[in-house]
Amino acid sequence: MRAQYRGRVDNRQAIGSWLSGPRAAAEEMGVDFGHRGERLGLPAEGPGSIAPLGRRFGAVFIDWALCMLIAYALLADGEPQRAGNWALLIFFVLSVVTVGTVGCTPGKRLLGLRVIGEGGGRLSLPRVLLRSVLLVLVIPAVIWDRDTRGLHDRLSRAVQVRI
């Protein structure tokens, strides 16, 4: 119920639910979404659970820094703009080769993460290629579902989990 005060309606609750997002508003109404990854059959915590966003961002930062370092040192002739362009290509190749073979990039490995298929196995080469192309495009990677999986992971039927 809205409280009235001096003839005006108090909309703080409505504004609070808008700022918190639709999930928070639905949870306030009693909807139970379960834990992240429950729909995929993953545990709530520990090894095999959905990787937290902070670690995933950290892993991408480490991988990007590594790619920039390689590009700047070996391919860019000291030009930062060229280094950024080369780094994007190196990032794509790094993602395809490492996720396709061992299931994780160097940054993911350092932070205890791994990329697996929704069924629990390794990703096939076409799925790794699709995931890497979408990751390089950036936009699909920042559109998430309620399990905090990016669109690049959803379309390639992949999940980032803790090791």
Side-chain angles (χ1 to χ4, degrees):
M1 295 204 157
R2 294 181 180 163
Q4 287 213 351
Y5 122 125
R6 291 195 180 190
R8 289 193 249 166
V9 176
D10 184 3
N11 290 323
R12 285 181 287 186
Q13 183 178 7
I15 291 172
S17 67
W18 178 78
L19 290 174
S20 302
R23 181 178 179 135
E27 285 174 344
E28 269 185 30
M29 292 187 298
V31 176
D32 181 23
F33 289 108
H35 65 271
R36 291 181 310 138
E38 185 174 8
R39 294 182 307 151
L40 301 168
L42 301 174
E45 295 180 19
S49 64
I50 295 272
L53 286 175
R55 281 192 195 180
R56 289 172 20 203
F57 283 129
V60 168
F61 178 78
I62 291 168
D63 292 335
W64 183 253
L66 177 65
C67 293
M68 282 295 289
L69 181 65
I70 291 169
Y72 193 77
L74 302 177
L75 303 168
D77 295 327
E79 294 180 36
Q81 176 65 35
R82 287 182 62 194
N85 293 337
W86 280 109
L88 197 58
L89 178 64
I90 294 168
F91 186 81
F92 173 76
V93 171
L94 176 80
S95 179
V96 169
V97 170
T98 58
V99 172
T101 57
V102 294
C104 56
T105 62
K108 288 185 189 335
R109 181 69 185 141
L110 282 173
L111 297 180
L113 306 177
R114 183 164 187 205
V115 179
I116 61 171
E118 286 179 346
R122 280 188 18 201
L123 293 179
S124 64
L125 182 60
R127 288 169 55 194
V128 170
L129 284 169
L130 174 64
R131 182 183 185 279
S132 299
V133 166
L134 293 172
L135 184 59
V136 168
L137 293 176
V138 178
I139 299 300
V142 296
I143 299 172
W144 302 319
D145 65 4
R146 72 180 193 199
D147 292 319
T148 65
R149 284 193 314 158
L151 189 57
H152 67 298
D153 281 335
R154 285 203 53 156
L155 292 175
S156 63
R157 296 189 330 266
V159 183
Q160 294 184 57
V161 296
R162 295 176 178 160
I163 297 176

